[in-house]
Amino acid sequence: MALPLSQLPAEIAREIRARKWLALSVFAFVSFAVLAAGFLWPYKYQSQVIIFVDDRNIIQPLMEGRAVTTEISEKASAARELLWSRSVMETIATDKDIYGENADDLSPEALIGRISGIRSNMSVVTRGDNYFSIGYSASSPMKAFQVAQKLGQAFIAENSERKRAESRSAYDFIDKQVKSYERQIAGVEERLKQFLSENVDGTEEGANARLANLRSRLELAQLEKEELETRASAFERQMAEISPRIRQGETSDGYLERISAMQAQLDNLRLRYLDTYPDIIILREQISELQKQRQRALADQTESPESLGGINIANPVYQDIRSSLVQTRTDIQTVETRIHSLQQLITEQTKRMERIQANKAQYSDLTRDLEVNKEIYNDLLRRREKARVSMHLDIEGQGLNYKINETAQYPNSPSGPKFSMFALAGLFVGLVAPFGAVAALLQVDPRVRSREQIEDVLELPILEQLPEARTPFEKRRDRRITMGVVFMAVIVTSAYIAVALAAVFGVF
């Protein structure tokens, strides 16, 4: 039955008074047990190397955009991973300065065990933005100092080597890619050259311009043919109106010449005078009379060619018109020949356009591959030069650098809890132990120790509680026991202090 917390201090004091010798025994046992733990505690000595990450040297602003320096985002994690590598651990585990002359004469199992021990005792801790420490703990201060010093040196050397190897590997990789793209570009250019030599139809723009020119010329030739045909029709009509032969003398053609002359004179007068001008009126009457006479002459000539007399000869006007008609028909045939030729050229040009369209996709693929490869090739050239500069930076030790800011120091005192802390804690823990044990016992003890327990659990009222009564003899005996316990407690405490001081001052 759990005891109420309000009654707990009084019950603890009563139990301690009732069992003084037991409480003293617990105090002595616990105190000396803690002191013994201080003697047996495996003390560790730790030594550490502080590394400075130099990523802000003068090279960075000078080479910004021209080179890429090797960077590590999580410096402590990267350092731990590097030091945990098998090569670094084997170098430390077989170091003769640390483990003696037979350090490398180990079986594989022993070597693995030693490497595991080094890894478990090694620590890498970040110290600010640009600092971290590499520490090592060991039971021997000399071993802790030597291993920490070797770890710092191994980290600097391994990191420098890895940076150089990484830069060299990046440069070699990009250089291989550049040479590969050089071969690809040469192959594409050769295929493009062969394609252009086999397909001489030209480009689509040139073919379109040529086709448009041919069509324009065809349209002009067709218009010219229509004009010539119209002219030929006009000549034919004129020839139908004119007699092919005339009599020399007063023929209808003579009338026509006079009418034409007078018509020309009339046209000149009308340009200067009105139609009511007397000369214009006279000329009109004369022209009208001549036309009537010509009609009668033509009618008489049809009935009797000899009626007008004279010599029957070829009409020169008719001959001129006929000559013009022949020339016009010749020109029509020439234009038709040109039209036919232009139509053939347009047909050939259309076929050429079809071939160009068929080859356009292949030409586009070749040119696109060439452009893409050249673009990637130029980018790789720039990257290769950056990688070359970066490689030289890492070889020269520039860019991101790790430097030992503080070397390992020989540890003069162990790390962690010291013997003096165990000695002070022993007295306190021994003094608290009896009270803690009694408090725990009271919480699990099923006995009823107060009236409140009965009232709370059984809900029964307690009418009266009898106080504890002791006889004078019991009081004297209790006093003697108390004095004896105090005397023994002083002796135990004095012995504890003496042993602790002797250990602290190196007596034993």
Side-chain angles (χ1 to χ4, degrees):
M1 188 177 295
L3 186 67
L5 293 179
S6 60
Q7 300 294 325
L8 188 60
E11 288 298 323
I12 291 175
R14 189 175 68 80
E15 291 292 335
I16 292 295
R17 286 197 304 268
R19 296 173 175 81
K20 296 182 180 69
W21 288 109
L22 180 60
L24 177 62
S25 300
V26 171
F27 166 73
F29 175 78
V30 172
S31 299
F32 278 96
V34 174
L35 189 64
F39 278 107
L40 300 177
W41 184 262
Y43 295 104
K44 292 286 186 178
Y45 293 88
Q46 186 178 30
S47 181
Q48 60 184 5
V49 178
I50 298 178
I51 305 296
F52 171 63
V53 184
D54 183 15
D55 58 352
R56 295 292 179 183
N57 54 22
I58 193 173
I59 293 296
Q60 182 176 6
L62 293 177
M63 301 306 296
E64 185 174 2
R66 301 296 181 184
V68 179
T69 57
T70 307
E71 295 183 359
I72 300 178
S73 56
E74 298 181 0
K75 304 176 182 64
S77 176
R80 186 182 298 107
E81 293 297 328
L82 188 147
L83 290 172
W84 273 48
S85 62
R86 180 77 179 186
S87 59
V88 177
M89 287 291 104
E90 285 188 359
T91 302
I92 302 298
T94 56
D95 191 278
K96 295 181 180 180
D97 294 336
I98 302 174
Y99 298 100
E101 294 295 329
N102 298 324
D104 54 352
D105 188 13
L106 292 174
S107 63
E109 293 78 8
L111 180 61
I112 292 174
R114 183 175 291 179
I115 289 175
S116 300
I118 295 174
R119 286 175 175 173
S120 61
N121 292 319
M122 184 187 68
S123 62
V124 180
V125 181
T126 303
R127 293 173 174 266
D129 295 335
N130 294 324
Y131 294 89
F132 64 90
S133 62
I134 302 173
Y136 185 78
S137 299
S139 57
S140 171
M142 178 58 70
K143 184 178 179 181
F145 167 71
Q146 290 177 336
V147 174
Q149 188 177 32
K150 292 292 183 179
L151 285 172
Q153 295 173 355
F155 171 75
I156 296 297
E158 185 71 14
N159 179 73
S160 300
E161 182 63 27
R162 287 194 178 188
K163 284 173 58 181
R164 288 192 290 269
E166 179 184 358
S167 300
R168 182 67 188 180
S169 176
Y171 173 79
D172 292 340
F173 173 76
I174 297 177
D175 185 61
K176 290 180 181 178
Q177 295 298 315
V178 168
K179 293 178 180 179
S180 174
Y181 272 94
E182 285 179 351
R183 293 191 294 270
Q184 292 184 25
I185 291 173
V188 174
E189 288 178 344
E190 182 63 26
R191 291 197 300 272
L192 183 60
K193 180 181 178 181
Q194 183 178 0
F195 174 80
L196 293 177
S197 62
E198 295 175 354
N199 300 274
V200 293
D201 293 324
T203 61
E204 183 179 3
E205 292 77 7
N208 285 329
R210 174 66 175 169
L211 184 60
N213 183 29
L214 291 175
R215 287 175 177 172
S216 177
R217 291 171 60 186
L218 177 62
E219 291 176 358
L220 293 175
Q222 290 175 345
L223 290 175
E224 185 178 356
K225 178 183 176 182
E226 293 178 359
E227 292 177 355
L228 291 173
E229 289 177 348
T230 303
R231 186 182 302 173
S233 299
F235 286 148
E236 289 175 354
R237 288 194 299 270
Q238 290 180 5
M239 289 176 62
E241 295 176 358
I242 300 175
S243 176
R245 303 188 65 81
I246 60 173
R247 287 183 179 276
Q248 189 172 2
E250 198 69 29
T251 65
S252 61
D253 289 335
Y255 289 112
L256 184 61
E257 290 178 359
R258 292 177 61 190
I259 291 172
S260 298
M262 296 179 70
Q263 185 66 40
Q265 185 178 359
L266 177 63
D267 291 338
N268 290 329
L269 290 174
R270 293 182 66 185
L271 291 175
R272 292 178 293 175
Y273 304 103
L274 296 175
D275 291 342
T276 56
Y277 189 70
D279 292 341
I280 293 176
I281 295 173
I282 294 172
L283 285 172
R284 281 181 175 179
E285 292 176 353
Q286 292 177 355
I287 291 172
S288 178
E289 183 63 27
L290 287 174
Q291 287 176 349
K292 292 178 181 180
Q293 294 177 5
R294 179 175 179 275
Q295 293 296 331
R296 288 194 299 270
L298 288 175
D300 295 340
Q301 185 179 1
T302 302
E303 294 175 358
S304 177
E306 303 294 334
S307 59
L308 296 177
I311 301 173
N312 190 6
I313 62 174
N315 189 348
V317 176
Y318 182 85
Q319 295 298 325
D320 290 341
I321 295 175
R322 183 179 180 183
S323 176
S324 299
L325 179 60
V326 172
Q327 182 64 38
T328 302
R329 287 176 177 173
T330 304
D331 293 341
I332 289 174
Q333 293 178 356
T334 303
V335 171
E336 287 177 350
T337 303
R338 187 163 72 247
I339 289 174
H340 182 68
S341 299
L342 289 173
Q343 289 175 345
Q344 289 182 345
L345 290 174
I346 289 174
T347 303
E348 294 176 358
Q349 192 66 23
T350 303
K351 294 180 180 179
R352 178 189 174 194
M353 281 292 298
E354 293 176 355
R355 292 195 301 272
I356 290 175
Q357 291 295 333
N359 297 329
K360 184 178 179 181
Q362 185 178 358
Y363 179 77
S364 299
D365 290 340
L366 291 173
T367 54
R368 181 171 58 251
D369 292 343
L370 183 61
E371 292 174 358
V372 171
N373 288 334
K374 282 186 176 180
E375 182 178 356
I376 298 176
Y377 174 73
N378 293 329
D379 181 65
L380 286 174
L381 282 179
R382 292 190 293 269
R383 292 178 182 271
R384 185 178 68 176
E385 294 307 312
K386 287 185 178 181
R388 189 198 306 276
V389 178
S390 302
M391 180 178 62
H392 287 293
L393 283 177
D394 287 334
I395 292 174
E396 297 296 331
Q398 304 296 335
L400 178 63
N401 263 333
Y402 291 95
K403 298 179 181 179
I404 297 179
N405 186 69
E406 184 178 332
T407 59
Q409 301 295 322
Y410 186 86
N412 295 318
S413 59
S415 59
K418 298 178 176 59
F419 179 79
S420 59
M421 297 176 63
F422 281 94
L424 293 175
L427 288 176
F428 176 76
V429 174
L431 183 61
V432 174
F435 295 95
V438 171
L441 180 63
L442 290 177
Q443 294 299 318
V444 298
D445 190 5
R447 293 179 296 174
V448 177
R449 294 177 176 273
S450 65
R451 61 184 296 175
E452 287 82 1
Q453 289 178 283
I454 298 176
E455 291 177 346
D456 293 340
V457 176
L458 301 179
E459 297 182 355
L460 296 176
I462 303 299
L463 300 178
E464 188 60 41
Q465 180 180 359
L466 297 177
E468 181 182 2
R470 292 189 302 168
T471 63
F473 175 74
E474 290 175 342
K475 293 180 179 179
R476 288 195 299 273
R477 187 183 60 181
D478 185 63
R479 213 169 17 249
R480 287 195 298 269
I481 292 174
T482 302
M483 291 178 62
V485 169
V486 171
F487 178 73
M488 289 302 298
V490 171
I491 293 175
V492 170
T493 305
S494 299
Y496 182 91
I497 294 174
V499 173
L501 291 176
V504 170
F505 289 105
V507 176
F508 56 89

